[in-house]
Amino acid sequence: MSKLALVTGATSGIGRAYAERLAAEGYDLVIAGRRQDRLEEFAGSHPEVKVRTVAADLSTTAGIDTVAEICASEPLAMLVNNAGVAHYMPLAELPAEKAAELVNVKVLAPTMLTRAAVAGMQERGQGTIINVAGMIAFSGPAPHSLMPRRAVYGGSLAYLVAMSQTLSAELEGTGVTVQVVCPGVVATEFHERQGFDLSAVPRMSADDVVTASLRGLELGETVCAPGVEDASLLDAVFTADLAAFGAQSVELASRYRSS
């Protein structure tokens, strides 16, 4: 029996690369995206597997509910939460509707789709959830000169990292695997849709991101950083996180006490 995977944001870029790779590995697919024409084009070009297309806008409650219902009712072997928008700009200048769209697509949608899928995966004793974030998730401490204009975007990706790590621990021993993928700049339409021309900037291919993700699953990585050669750097970040977490006390830290 073929395994079933659901991929959001599947009409281009990393999402399409996941769909292509999973189809080549024999997965039947549910592909979700905003553009019905591209979804149908993909389905028509992959007659070797079953492809169900779902036109849904994950910035809306209706779109999230539509895809979540599929996640809850279908025996998914894999869920890839890839859909994304950028909206790079200072928070004070970010229109309310764009802030809501970004948080809905990169925070609310992955949360609700994962919630819908995970119970069935636990019951079946197997499943994989992949959340596509980015290395900007680690850029919070960067000064203004290095990382301006993307507070909500960076925060949403950091949420995906923390949620994925915590959920991975929560699901230990259930047969369900969780991974968050954190690429750097990738050669897709993503930035062009936001009005950025990165054609002269070295970029990783979407196919390489998927290769890293699937190999990372084999290696047991919860956080997959396709462009980071020295994985000990990530280990150092997470070790420091736990050290700070473990160092808390009910006593007020001395630096906050009156002299």
Side-chain angles (χ1 to χ4, degrees):
M1 180 180 295
S2 295
K3 294 182 290 186
L4 181 64
L6 189 152
V7 182
T8 69
T11 56
S12 64
I14 295 172
R16 178 156 186 140
Y18 269 109
E20 294 275 5
R21 187 72 63 85
L22 294 173
E25 294 187 1
Y27 281 80
D28 290 333
L29 297 171
V30 180
I31 55 173
R34 300 188 194 197
R35 296 187 55 177
Q36 182 67 45
D37 58 335
R38 288 196 175 187
L39 295 171
E40 292 177 353
E41 180 273 324
F42 181 94
S45 64
H46 293 82
E48 73 279 9
V49 295
K50 296 178 182 177
V51 181
R52 175 180 174 183
T53 64
V54 181
D57 182 351
L58 293 179
S59 71
T60 68
T61 299
I64 293 172
D65 288 348
T66 294
V67 182
E69 173 60 29
I70 297 170
C71 290
S73 60
E74 297 290 340
L76 297 183
M78 181 178 291
L79 169 64
V80 181
N81 287 308
N82 164 76
V85 292
H87 301 326
Y88 290 176
M89 62 186 69
L91 180 58
E93 299 172 17
L94 183 64
E97 65 274 13
K98 288 189 174 182
E101 179 184 22
L102 177 51
V103 172
N104 283 350
V105 172
K106 293 308 292 181
V107 175
L108 184 59
T111 301
M112 300 309 290
L113 301 192
T114 297
R115 176 191 173 276
V118 73
M121 289 181 174
Q122 284 182 279
E123 289 175 4
R124 293 185 293 274
Q126 60 183 359
T128 301
I129 296 165
I130 299 173
N131 295 312
V132 178
M135 287 305 295
I136 289 173
F138 299 95
S139 70
H144 173 77
S145 59
L146 295 180
M147 280 291 176
R149 303 187 301 140
R150 58 183 78 178
V152 179
Y153 183 70
S156 70
L157 300 191
Y159 168 81
L160 284 175
V161 173
M163 183 188 77
S164 299
Q165 289 177 302
T166 307
L167 182 60
S168 178
E170 184 177 305
L171 295 172
E172 186 175 346
T174 66
V176 182
T177 300
V178 182
Q179 181 192 72
V180 59
V181 185
C182 297
V185 183
V186 183
T188 70
E189 299 174 4
F190 183 75
H191 293 93
E192 284 75 5
R193 288 199 299 268
Q194 307 299 321
F196 295 99
D197 181 7
L198 299 184
S199 56
V201 176
R203 296 175 290 173
M204 181 175 287
S205 71
D207 193 58
D208 277 350
V209 173
V210 175
T211 295
S213 171
L214 298 182
R215 177 59 178 148
L217 289 173
E218 295 175 356
L219 294 172
E221 293 182 347
T222 299
V223 180
C224 168
V228 176
E229 179 64 31
D230 185 357
S232 69
L233 294 172
L234 296 172
D235 293 336
V237 170
F238 305 141
T239 298
D241 284 345
L242 288 176
F245 179 75
Q248 61 188 314
S249 168
V250 297
E251 300 293 331
L252 184 66
S254 59
R255 66 185 177 279
Y256 301 124
R257 299 172 192 166
S258 299
S259 57

